[in-house]
């Protein structure tokens, strides 16, 4: 297996799917001549030309709408938002048109579209550039929401997203682009809706996605030293959610910590927690603890930013809380 | 441009007759839906196309099968102008499963895959991007289709109008932007929302052609649009058309239209596009007044029939509630 | 006490606050000459003139932005969205500017603004006109979210919202505008963050807001006949939430049903449920049941629309489920 | 218009010297932040104003205390031009609690209540509405303030630009729209995003005046803007100004600017606004070359001082994390 970065994995996924299907194209700011603000589309212009690798003005609402019309006319657009912060100016197109279209047309027009780009905080990019959009999108029926934590999943799920006949919100994370991992040599696609058990343990279930998996893994390693075995789940697809995987784990461990980078109120973790509480109430030996961003916009100062975000330490403390192994208070 | 080969509508009796009757169909259809709405047989919002028939019918006379059309919630007229089954349209407005989108969209959301009608959209300005996307796809597939985007003058102050004009011009997309300026956006007269009501002047900044046109005259619209559509198709340069028209009814059935005078309404009604095309048919000697009226009567009877049909048609079954949310099969989905 | 409609209550609140404070103005489509699409601003143009009652083009993003700038320059704008469906085109202004401003400026610029209008379904207005936005807004720190169910609360809380020095999202419901209720004769303001116990009972807590309160009240009356006493809570303010009120009730009843008109995934109910589970885990005798909109965009057809939405019957069934009093299955 | 009373900058030695040195301050400040960024002492995004100094300094020379200013993330230059303490600006960029917004905003989010600097905004086009709102408030309060909205040419294709031009014109808002066209929006040249790069022509549709101007010449900008600002203030009619300028550095520090040639960069550097104003000072005999250089040297030393100061200033204390989320006290709040 080759070791590649998440950046390369995403690039390969797009490249392979564009080679496979003439109707796939990519559109967004700086995707063509600049090779992508984060170089995800590197080399695609050279290979596929201007027709299929399309630079745009800073007009997110327009090029999102364009992609919907193109999808209704038989194409399969990949829309790159330089970051999902900028998807806010296109929100009406995403919610009113993309999410509703297939239903509103009584099954006449499905929208095979992928909206992708960075989600969440990067490094000190401050209040307006650090939104986590998971729960915004998961709230609305008609959308799928994917957010991966490593190269292999990123590649396999982006390919699945491009092949999906429904809209997919594909949330990447700038801080993961440069991280490396093994990727199968042969072609593969990971089904939408399948989570992954990252490591197995009997004492506590940790659910984490995207960049948070880095901290969750570190926490699990630390906790092992402390004698606590973690069942670590990466849902990968946030909607639809691999509930059977989660359920099995919770039935085994009876204790759950849910980590997300975004805000607490109505975060994706609130929904995952509610599912678990509702359906596995009698299996739980403790309430669930959620680790999320603190209840404030993202500050610029490095120290404050770090304090805002979940961390390995916060995850460990949460596990200690649900396993009653923390320091007595 | 091969201007010579485009005959004026006044010289094409068959087409004139057909288009006139399309306008009549729309008029009678809309009168009927308003009545049914007042009888509470139709719910939601209902925006009639009455008064604007010449625009939809005159412009879409130039639509080829591969062309696309997109518009706002005021979409019955265009649906019928495109030749969608009036039965299915009426059933949709009645929320029946036999409707064009199975009763799921309703009055504001007409779609038709065969004719590339890409909606029927409820958010003012929401249709622009979709329209340029259809043109993008045509270029992409090296087809020769044109995309017609209809919108009210109320959509002009929405930024999306400008974004999409810029994009269409930059990308050489074969788009016809058709502003149906019926003077009002709900209760607001156009002069109160636009720094400039000469809307075709918006074209200049985008280096595309802008045209102003009388929206109440079928044959004028038909004749002028023929050349324009041809040019857009050939050059792939978008064009902006500003048509002055008037909706004879309120914004929707629930609007009493107190913001304008009866005199104003009457003035515009003297300019009724249906009268004009009827007169033309008669004055050119293509039809007698009686023939025109007999056909109108037939249409009225037909509409009564399809209302009955719609009323007696089945509602969407309850199983449909959660169908058509996703196209692909979903495994392991879990929610409530 | 006078009996007035919710429409009149909202109108009085705006009128009184405009009389009280010269810096309050109202802006939006059709608010002035048309007296409001739903007549909430009836009479205000006549009384306060064009300077303070401002009609706009259909430019939600622009007039939202204008109001932010005006708020930063010392005014107190009330922004009317004809419906919150249309706030989607202004979402960037709401999230990136309104919600972040006070924090991002280190406390230099607070934004005293009220964004108000219809939220949720009306009668058969179909997919693009029936969004519930509660959880969208509650997710983002920096915003307050209010949604009332009757005339008295609407008046008292809208006044509080206008006086608030922070942004308030004030979610109304078209179907409630014409409903009547008693309103105190003297001036009053209801504090933001205080819920209301609508009726008192020992067997089960029902939490419902806005239009759902109609069904919840009906359900409670029915349930009473069946011998089940409902503690019925209207949070009124969804964020900040009157957690003490909820907590007290749950400690008493040990059973909870949460009703909301919007969608299930990451709905406001998911967050309320999570708070309860987390903090009152040992008090619960059953899992919480949520009643929400079904997982599809809103259909047009009357029967389907009704089937989508919560109903008195669905609430009763949910109560039977948490009280184990339903028919054996 | 009282044109006569506006002296050209070349005839106002004191002001010319002051404005020249403001440009020098900005230049040295930015050079220093880039260096600190490369040393990883500054994080996030950093967008330097180098090359564009004449625009901010020349335009804002006409700002009265009651006027407002709003701009994009490329905001250091305007902050300094407005006279905000360079110490506090530097501290902000370093994320210190002594920064202008307590280290919470950073490089992209400069604000100042005293001078009505309403940001510093990160979303392209996000500042337009705020700017017209300040003008609205001025009219509302019957003050006589003008609102300056600065934006890059990359914001022109965003619909919000057009929405706000329409609104400002309709409502007679005293707004000066200032497009700083530095030829690139990140890696994209203006010709690739605009159907029309003569941006001042966008004014016509909104029935407001549009002006095109050389953005590299301080005295020209100063002289022309004097009349324009006066007219806007008097007539309450907005105006749109298109200034052609150039950023000498990449879009942000992390951009290597490979999308343009070294020749192009050199060509623009020959047109450096700082050289030109220095030359003017010398040629008019107001200062000697040595005096100009001595002052520059002083500025450089001063910047070194304030960097040291910023570095040694305290970070925001952790208690500040959840402060400034809400202004009002909140009872019963409950969250995590
Ligand atoms: C973004 C948005 N804002 C507001 C509305 C409410 N609304 C529906 S139709 C309408 C007026 C539109 O007028 P115009 O574009 O002239 O079209 P017409 O109804 O005259 O055909 C308004 C304000 C909406 N649907 N979408
Ligand atoms: C809505 C939005 N889309 C994309 C971005 C990412 N972005 C930041 S700056 C920029 C280029 C802006 O160029 P221009 O307006 O010319 O300003 P300049 O940087 O040249 O001063 C882009 C695309 C953003 N901040 N906001
Ligand atoms: Mg209109
Ligand atoms: Mg630029």
């Amino acid at each position: 297996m080759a070791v590649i970065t998440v950046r390369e994995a995403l690039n390969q996924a797009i490249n392979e799917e564009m080679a496979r299907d003439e109707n796939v194209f990519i559109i967004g700011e700086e995707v063509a001549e600049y090779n992508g603000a984060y170089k995800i589309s590197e080399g695609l212009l050279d290979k596929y030309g201007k027709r299929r690798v399309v630079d745009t003005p800073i007009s997110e609402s327009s090029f999102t709408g364009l992609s919907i019309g193109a999808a209704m006319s038989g194409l399969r657009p990949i829309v790159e938002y330089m970051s999902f912060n900028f998807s806010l100016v296109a929100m009406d197109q995403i919610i009113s048109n993309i999410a509703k279209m297939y239903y509103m047309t009584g099954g006449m027009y499905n929208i095979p579209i992928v909206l992708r780009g960075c989600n969440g905080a990067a490094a000190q990019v401050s209040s307006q550039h650090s939104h986590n959009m998971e729960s915004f999108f998961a709230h609305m029926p008609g959308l799928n929401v994917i957010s991966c934590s490593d190269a292999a999943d990123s590649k396999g799920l982006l390919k699945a997203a491009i092949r999906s006949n429904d809209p997919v919100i594909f949330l990447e994370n700038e801080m993961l682009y440069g991280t490396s991992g093994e990727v199968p040599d042969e072609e593969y696609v990971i089904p939408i809706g399948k989570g992954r058990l990252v490591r197995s343990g009997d004492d506590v279930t940790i659910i984490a996605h995207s960049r948070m998996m880095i901290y969750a893994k570190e926490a699990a390693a630390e906790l092992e030293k402390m004698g606590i075995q973690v069942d670590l789940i990466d849902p990968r697809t946030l909607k639809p959610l691999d509930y059977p995987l989660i359920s099995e784990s919770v039935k085994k461990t009876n204790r759950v910590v849910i980590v997300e980078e975004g805000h607490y109120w109505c975060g994706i973790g609130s929904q995952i927690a509610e599912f678990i509480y509702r359906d596995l109430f009698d299996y739980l030996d403790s309430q669930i603890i959620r680790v999320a961003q603190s209840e404030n916009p993202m500050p610029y100062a490095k120290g404050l930013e770090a304090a805002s975000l979940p961390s390995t330490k916060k995850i460990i403390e949460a596990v200690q809380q649900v396993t009653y192994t923390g320091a007595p208070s | 441009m091969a201007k010579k080969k485009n005959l004026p509508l006044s010289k094409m009796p068959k087409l004139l007759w057909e288009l006139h009757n399309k306008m009549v169909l729309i008029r009678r259809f809309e009168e009927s839906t308003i009545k049914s709405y007042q009888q509470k047989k139709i719910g939601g919002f209902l925006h009639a196309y009455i008064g604007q028939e010449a625009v939809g019918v005159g412009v879409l006379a130039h639509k080829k099968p591969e062309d696309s059309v997109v518009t706002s919630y005021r979409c019955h007229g265009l649906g019928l102008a495109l030749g969608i089954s009036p039965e299915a349209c009426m059933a949709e407005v009645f929320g029946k499963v036999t409707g064009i989108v199975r009763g799921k969209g309703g009055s504001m959301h007409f779609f038709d895959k065969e004719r590339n009608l890409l909606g029927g959209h409820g958010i003012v300005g929401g249709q622009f991007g979709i329209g340029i996307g259809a043109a993008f796809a045509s270029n992409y597939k090296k087809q020769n289709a044109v995309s017609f985007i209809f919108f009210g003058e109320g959509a002009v102050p929405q930024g999306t109008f400008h974004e999409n004009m810029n994009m269409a011009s930059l990308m050489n997309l074969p788009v016809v932007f058709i502003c149906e300026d019926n003077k009002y956006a709900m209760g607001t007269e156009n002069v109160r929302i636009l720094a400039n009501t000469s809307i075709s002047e918006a074209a200049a900044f985008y280096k595309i052609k802008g045209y102003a046109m009388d929206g109440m005259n079928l044959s004028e619209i038909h004749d002028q649009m023929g050349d324009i559509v041809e040019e857009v198709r050939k050059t792939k340069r978008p064009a902006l058309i500003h048509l002055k028209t008037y909706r004879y009814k309120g914004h929707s059935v629930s609007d009493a239209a107190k913001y304008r005078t009866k005199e104003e309404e009457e003035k515009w009604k003297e300019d009724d596009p249906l009268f004009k095309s009827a007169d033309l048919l008669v004055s050119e000697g293509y039809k007698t007044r009686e023939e025109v009226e007999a056909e109108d009567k037939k249409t009225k009877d037909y509409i009564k029939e399809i209302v009955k049909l719609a009323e007696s048609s089945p509602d969407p079954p309850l199983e449909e509630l959660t169908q058509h949310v996703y196209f692909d099969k979903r495994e392991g989905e879990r929610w409530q």
Side-chain angles (χ1 to χ4, degrees), chain A, chain B:
Chain A
M1 298 220 278
V3 173
I4 63 173
T5 61
V6 168
R7 177 178 285 113
E8 290 165 313
L10 294 167
N11 179 273
Q12 287 182 9
I14 299 170
N15 190 359
E16 288 175 19
E17 293 305 305
M18 286 185 74
R20 178 176 174 270
D21 184 347
E22 169 80 13
N23 288 323
V24 176
F25 71 96
I26 180 164
I27 186 166
E29 292 150 21
E30 310 287 355
V31 296
E33 296 199 8
Y34 198 75
N35 281 297
Y38 297 100
K39 305 298 170 206
I40 306 303
S41 53
E42 179 117 54
L44 297 179
L45 176 66
D46 281 348
K47 185 159 173 196
Y48 298 103
K50 272 163 95 148
R51 174 168 152 268
R52 300 182 63 197
V53 184
V54 185
D55 272 335
T56 67
I58 308 172
S59 304
E60 284 83 359
S61 165
S62 172
F63 67 74
T64 304
L66 180 152
S67 299
I68 300 167
M72 293 172 84
S73 308
L75 303 185
R76 302 180 78 87
I78 303 170
V79 177
E80 175 169 313
Y81 296 122
M82 199 174 288
S83 92
F84 266 92
N85 303 290
F86 314 141
S87 75
L88 284 169
V89 300
M91 196 48 77
D92 177 58
Q93 291 297 321
I94 301 175
I95 302 302
S96 300
N97 291 351
I98 296 179
K100 315 286 174 185
M101 194 68 75
Y102 187 53
Y103 194 80
M104 179 165 82
T105 63
M108 191 186 287
Y109 282 108
N110 60 308
I111 307 291
I113 198 171
V114 179
L115 309 180
R116 47 159 292 278
C118 307
N119 176 60
Q124 285 188 266
V125 294
S126 201
S127 294
Q128 295 181 325
H129 275 74
S130 305
H131 309 319
N132 281 77
M133 308 287 284
E134 289 88 326
S135 73
F136 263 50
F137 295 123
H139 185 57
M140 288 292 175
L143 303 175
N144 294 307
V145 184
I146 296 177
S147 187
C148 302
S149 65
D150 71 6
D153 289 351
S154 295
K155 181 170 178 185
L157 272 155
L158 183 51
K159 284 169 69 83
I162 297 168
R163 293 186 195 183
S164 164
N165 295 300
D166 294 306
V168 176
I169 308 284
F170 196 91
L171 304 168
E172 302 161 8
N173 187 295
E174 189 188 329
M175 309 302 279
L176 291 177
Y177 283 151
T179 63
S180 301
E182 285 190 340
V183 169
D185 295 317
E186 64 290 353
E187 195 189 21
Y188 68 102
V189 171
I190 298 172
I192 292 174
K194 282 276 165 233
R196 178 163 62 92
L197 190 66
V198 176
R199 62 184 283 166
S200 181
D202 288 341
D203 299 328
V204 62
T205 301
I206 300 181
I207 302 170
H209 69 277
S210 190
R211 177 185 175 193
M212 295 302 103
M213 186 48 74
I214 296 177
Y215 306 133
K217 275 186 190 164
E218 282 176 10
E222 281 299 310
L223 287 159
E224 181 165 45
K225 290 184 208 153
M226 298 156 66
I228 299 172
Q229 305 301 330
V230 173
D231 225 34
L232 180 56
I233 291 178
D234 184 346
R236 305 192 292 198
T237 305
L238 298 173
K239 189 181 191 182
L241 188 66
D242 190 346
Y243 191 71
L245 178 69
I246 292 173
S247 172
E248 207 185 305
S249 173
V250 176
K251 284 181 185 165
K252 177 174 70 174
T253 65
N254 315 111
R255 293 160 199 278
V256 184
V257 166
I258 303 174
V259 190
E260 70 192 294
E261 189 184 295
H263 290 298
Y264 197 94
W265 272 78
C266 303
I268 188 75
S270 73
Q271 188 52 61
I272 299 176
E274 196 261 351
F275 284 145
I276 297 171
Y277 279 123
R278 184 191 68 186
D279 295 339
L280 300 168
F281 192 62
D282 294 333
Y283 285 96
L284 290 174
D285 285 347
S286 156
Q287 66 271 65
I288 296 167
I289 299 293
R290 293 174 56 201
V291 183
Q293 204 177 127
S294 62
E295 186 67 0
N296 51 269
M298 186 64 81
Y300 168 70
K302 196 169 188 167
L304 293 186
E305 184 187 53
S308 271
L309 289 167
S311 65
T312 305
K313 180 159 170 285
K314 288 179 193 169
I315 298 171
I316 292 172
E317 283 165 6
V319 168
Q320 289 177 323
Q321 206 177 330
V322 297
T323 54
Y324 309 108
T325 55
S329 64
Chain B
M1 279 183 47
K3 204 160 187 167
K4 260 171 291 167
K5 75 165 196 254
N6 294 332
L7 271 182
L9 187 60
S10 60
K11 297 296 165 233
M12 296 186 279
K14 193 159 163 268
L15 186 62
L16 176 60
W17 181 233
E18 190 194 304
L19 297 187
H20 169 75
N21 286 319
K22 265 195 181 165
M23 297 206 301
V24 173
L25 174 71
I26 294 170
R27 177 74 54 96
R28 303 309 164 220
F29 184 97
E30 294 293 56
E31 286 168 352
S32 166
T33 57
I34 291 176
K35 202 167 123 199
S36 299
Y37 191 93
Q38 283 158 344
Q39 293 167 342
K40 295 199 190 316
K41 289 179 185 166
I42 297 175
F45 294 133
L46 190 96
H47 310 86
Y49 200 61
I50 296 180
Q52 306 181 209
E53 295 92 343
V55 177
V57 172
V59 170
L60 292 180
H62 304 286
K63 177 188 174 294
K64 295 197 179 174
E66 64 273 23
D67 295 347
S68 299
V69 178
V70 70
T71 187
S72 72
Y73 46 84
R74 197 178 296 284
C75 58
H76 305 171
L78 298 193
L80 295 169
L82 285 171
I84 304 179
S85 137
E87 285 85 350
C89 290
M90 190 61 84
E92 188 57 42
V93 175
F94 274 76
K96 300 307 175 95
V97 71
T98 49
I100 43 178
V101 288
R102 308 184 67 80
K104 281 183 160 168
S107 163
M108 299 194 287
H109 304 303
F110 276 23
F111 288 82
D112 187 66
K113 208 163 194 169
E114 212 184 307
R115 293 164 189 82
N116 304 317
L117 173 58
L118 305 179
H121 292 279
I123 306 301
V124 170
Q127 71 268 39
F128 286 110
I130 295 177
I132 73 161
F136 175 89
S138 170
N139 282 2
Y140 190 96
K141 296 191 253 173
K142 302 190 166 48
Q143 293 168 342
N144 220 10
V146 161
S147 175
F148 294 89
I149 306 179
F150 290 80
F151 55 100
E153 85 291 348
V156 172
Q158 280 286 37
T160 177
F161 169 60
H162 298 271
E163 283 190 28
N164 285 292
M165 293 249 287
N166 182 57
M167 198 84 112
S169 175
L170 260 183
M171 293 188 169
N172 291 309
L173 303 180
V175 178
V176 192
F177 290 92
I178 299 143
C179 180
E180 303 194 64
D181 177 3
N182 58 12
K183 207 175 169 194
Y184 294 93
M186 297 193 73
T188 309
E189 198 180 333
N190 50 18
V191 293
R192 296 205 293 122
I193 59 168
L194 290 166
N196 183 353
T197 53
S198 301
I199 294 167
S200 60
E201 292 178 8
F205 182 57
Y206 303 103
K207 299 199 165 162
I208 65 176
K209 289 194 186 160
Y211 303 87
M213 236 173 256
D214 176 2
M216 303 301 274
N217 191 315
L218 176 70
S219 54
E220 272 184 41
I221 297 171
H222 171 274
D223 295 353
Q224 294 177 66
M225 287 304 300
D227 294 343
I228 295 170
V229 174
E230 213 170 292
E231 183 171 342
V232 170
R233 197 182 303 280
K234 210 160 60 189
T235 62
K236 310 280 179 264
R237 293 295 299 159
L240 169 64
I241 328 293
H242 176 205
L243 292 128
K244 284 203 183 156
T245 177
Y246 200 78
R247 57 165 160 75
Y248 291 167
K249 303 290 169 180
H251 168 71
S252 66
V253 182
S254 56
D255 170 27
K258 290 187 194 146
Y259 40 83
R260 61 192 193 187
T261 63
K262 281 280 157 277
E263 293 72 52
E264 180 182 295
E265 289 182 14
E266 290 314 315
K267 206 195 106 258
W268 281 90
K269 281 184 187 164
E270 283 166 23
D271 212 23
D272 194 321
L274 274 66
F275 292 173
K276 260 181 287 193
S277 53
D279 285 352
L280 188 62
L281 282 163
V282 174
S283 67
E284 293 282 342
Y286 301 147
K287 295 283 165 187
T288 65
R289 186 70 63 188
E290 291 67 39
E291 283 171 319
V292 169
E293 267 155 26
E295 190 63 29
D296 191 342
K297 171 81 173 58
K298 249 170 74 186
T299 302
K300 280 185 188 147
D301 292 343
Y302 169 64
I303 295 286
K304 278 190 197 131
E305 285 307 308
I306 70 172
V307 166
K308 265 189 231 148
L309 184 66
E311 288 188 277
S312 65
S313 295
D315 290 331
L318 278 190
E319 310 88 85
E320 283 231 357
L321 180 63
T322 53
Q323 278 166 21
H324 306 133
V325 183
Y326 296 95
F327 182 99
D328 290 336
K329 234 186 117 200
R330 288 155 78 81
E331 317 240 4
E333 168 86 281
R334 175 93 205 131
W335 73 279
Q336 76 179 34

